Amino acid sequence: MLILLPPSEGKADAGTGRRWSPDRLALPELNPARERVLDALTALSAGPDEAEARAALGLSEGQRGELRRNARLREAATAPAERLYTGVLYEALEFASLPAAAQRTARRSILISSGLWGAVRLADRIPPYRCPIGARLPGVGALSAYWRKELAPVMDAAAGRGLVLDLRSGAYAATWTPRGELAERTVTVRVLHEREVDGVPVRSVVSHFNKATKGRLVRDLLLAGARPRTAAELVGTLRELKHTVEEQATAPGRTRQVDLVVTDL
């Protein structure tokens, strides 16, 4: 099973090891595309128009330090992605506390989307950076459109013939859309919060806190050593792990959607 995760804005303050090298990243077919984005990002961040750079990257005036860091990415120390990303999803995943076997499985099966790198695996060493998927970089354009073109053949190959569990957020999910037979073995998850209002159960789509729920879901699958091969097997496994899930009807050639219903956030 291939598990797709979004990155997080929260990252470690600094790397702890050697400089970034494209030769050490997974999915080496993406390296030329990564280099173009890296060149554009560092040039923008080091350029004379700080206001333009901050606007392109969604930074406030108080975050100008992010520009200085971006400008030095090629010389910066790196850390494995499993330690670099520190946001809500990754806090809930608690990768460092997983048993060794579960960590090995996670490193093989998880791909993290990225506005800068396209996609990386947990063991890939990258420097802290700021490059949201909504950015538009000089010479590259809108990153969402750029990666949509570059990622398609690479992600199709990475998916292979197994199940794909797609937990990416909307903007990152738009960079690669499974098609045809591959779509039919791709499962997306929507988190619904169920609560009582005047004695009546009411459900609402969870936004920010859905990240923690997805992190816990992946952790549960890894701890259980689960290897579902189909959407039906995944739903069954999640129910065995005490998750409340409902599978939605989907048309042929479309991704499968599962609703994960929670009462606590």
Side-chain angles (χ1 to χ4, degrees), residues 5-6 87-94 167 210-212 214-216:
L5 299 181
V88 173
L89 188 153
Y90 295 91
E91 288 178 353
L93 176 58
E94 294 184 84
L167 301 178
N210 89 89
K211 298 175 183 177
K214 290 177 178 179
R216 289 191 290 268

Side-chain angles (χ1 to χ4, degrees), residues 2 8 10 32 57 60 77 82 89 111 166 174 176 188 218 229 255 262:
L2 177 66
S8 68
L57 300 176
S60 68
E82 64 204 37
L89 188 153
L111 277 176
D166 189 353
W176 176 63
T188 61
V218 174
R229 293 169 296 180
T255 58
V262 299

Side-chain angles (χ1 to χ4, degrees), residues 133-135 141-149 171 174-175:
I133 194 65
L143 287 178
S144 56
Y146 176 84
W147 284 118
R148 189 156 51 243
K149 178 182 66 175
T175 62

Side-chain angles (χ1 to χ4, degrees), residues 10-237:
K11 298 179 183 69
D13 290 334
T16 57
R18 57 181 175 262
R19 294 179 181 180
W20 175 76
S21 170
D23 298 333
R24 298 191 180 100
L25 294 186
L27 307 179
E29 305 92 330
L30 292 176
N31 283 343
R34 290 165 172 156
E35 292 277 7
R36 288 192 290 274
V37 178
L38 183 58
D39 285 344
L41 179 63
T42 54
L44 174 69
S45 299
D49 194 335
E50 179 189 293
E52 178 188 17
R54 286 194 286 104
L57 300 176
L59 298 173
S60 68
E61 188 172 354
Q63 293 176 302
R64 58 182 57 175
E66 297 278 6
L67 293 180
R68 292 192 293 271
R69 184 159 65 179
N70 276 353
R72 300 191 298 267
L73 283 175
R74 289 191 181 275
E75 294 76 40
T78 61
E82 64 204 37
R83 295 206 304 266
L84 183 81
Y85 294 112
T86 60
V88 173
L89 188 153
Y90 295 91
E91 288 178 353
L93 176 58
E94 294 184 84
F95 178 85
S97 70
L98 288 171
Q103 290 189 7
R104 289 193 294 271
T105 298
R107 290 179 181 125
R108 290 194 304 269
S109 60
I110 291 175
L111 277 176
I112 302 170
S113 292
S114 169
L116 175 53
W117 315 111
V120 294
R121 294 202 184 274
L122 287 170
D124 285 347
R125 299 191 67 94
I126 52 179
Y129 66 95
R130 181 62 174 256
C131 187
I133 194 65
R136 179 182 290 272
L137 301 181
V140 171
L143 287 178
S144 56
Y146 176 84
W147 284 118
R148 189 156 51 243
K149 178 182 66 175
E150 300 290 344
L151 282 172
V154 179
M155 294 297 292
D156 286 353
R161 302 189 61 81
L163 180 68
V164 178
L165 176 57
D166 189 353
L167 301 178
R168 297 172 297 167
S169 53
Y172 287 96
T175 62
W176 176 63
T177 304
R179 305 290 183 185
E181 183 271 335
L182 176 54
E184 294 179 357
R185 49 186 169 87
T186 298
V187 178
T188 61
V189 174
R190 181 175 65 170
V191 180
L192 300 178
H193 181 211
E194 184 173 272
R195 64 194 190 284
E196 280 198 6
V197 177
D198 297 329
V200 178
V202 175
R203 292 179 177 180
S204 58
V205 177
V206 179
S207 56
H208 176 72
F209 288 103
N210 89 89
K211 298 175 183 177
T213 300
K214 290 177 178 179
R216 289 191 290 268
L217 181 150
V218 174
R219 181 178 176 84
D220 287 348
L221 290 171
L222 292 169
L223 286 172
R227 289 180 170 82
R229 293 169 296 180
T230 65
E233 288 184 11
L234 175 63
V235 169
T237 298

